[in-house]
Amino acid sequence: MELSEYFPIWDKLTPEQQDKLTRSAFERTVKKGTVIHNGNMDCTGLLLVQSGQLRSYILSDEGREVTLYRLFERDICLFSASCIMRSIQFEVIIEAEKDTDLIIIPPQIYKQIMEESAPAANFTNELMAARFTDVMWLVEQIMWKSFDKRLASFLLEESVLEGTDALKMTHETIGNHLGTAREVVTRMLRYFQNEGMVRLTRGTVELTDKKKLKELCGD
């Protein structure tokens, strides 16, 4: 495993710090649907994605999910090691959306490196700031953007991620990503179908007019 590929500040670490990270890191393969990290009582460690796809989401008291962000190849998940930052109390759940290969750095080891190395601490702060920017963008979308636009944007994004216009997703799964009820998703998808933008079959949403969907998004 080449940790230097994940840390742009690698050359600014001492050989001892590099060795400590390398010796402590271990690889793990998880199957699709595996919950890797479950809330702030769980301190899994720093997750480095070698391949696959992770989903970070929060869960309401009523059991409703909303996706905060996704993680892809060469991404780093910091919230899974939130215990190393006293001011961060984030009830985030990390789940594998696809079969995923990970490198995990134990939280206590990374905390030691942060305390010893100003470049590592700065890099961590930048990473955290970028994730909070993602979360704030999501909050703005939920507060100010109508659901039809959010759904159209989501479908177009999924089409790019999966490399297909035929998305194998249930209405409940879409609702979990967008933080809304399945029935709301179903009603809007039926409207999209009536407008010729999608075709609905069991377990599949096929994008039939991406131009209309983009126009709806304002893209």
Side-chain angles (χ1 to χ4, degrees), residues 125-140:
N125 288 335
E126 290 173 4
L127 197 62
M128 183 63 72
R131 289 300 170 213
F132 272 120
T133 298
D134 292 340
V135 172
M136 289 308 300
W137 178 87
L138 174 65
V139 170
E140 289 178 356

Side-chain angles (χ1 to χ4, degrees), residues 93-105:
I93 300 170
I94 311 292
E95 181 182 52
E97 280 197 304
K98 297 180 179 179
D99 293 350
T100 302
D101 293 324
L102 298 167
I103 299 171
I104 302 178
I105 298 175

Side-chain angles (χ1 to χ4, degrees), residues 39-73:
N40 64 17
M41 299 303 291
D42 197 358
C43 200
T44 309
L46 210 66
L47 304 179
L48 317 181
V49 183
Q50 292 182 293
S51 66
Q53 184 173 312
L54 303 180
R55 172 188 174 224
S56 172
Y57 67 95
I58 54 176
L59 195 63
S60 73
D61 292 339
E62 296 77 28
R64 183 168 296 174
E65 300 174 8
V66 60
T67 299
L68 297 177
Y69 54 84
R70 264 90 162 261
L71 295 151
F72 306 97
E73 184 177 340

Side-chain angles (χ1 to χ4, degrees), residues 8 13 21 37 42 45 56 58 76 80 124 131 154 176 206 213:
L13 300 177
L21 285 173
H37 175 83
D42 197 358
S56 172
I58 54 176
I76 298 177
S80 53
T124 304
R131 289 300 170 213
F154 174 79
N176 287 342
E206 182 182 355
L213 287 168

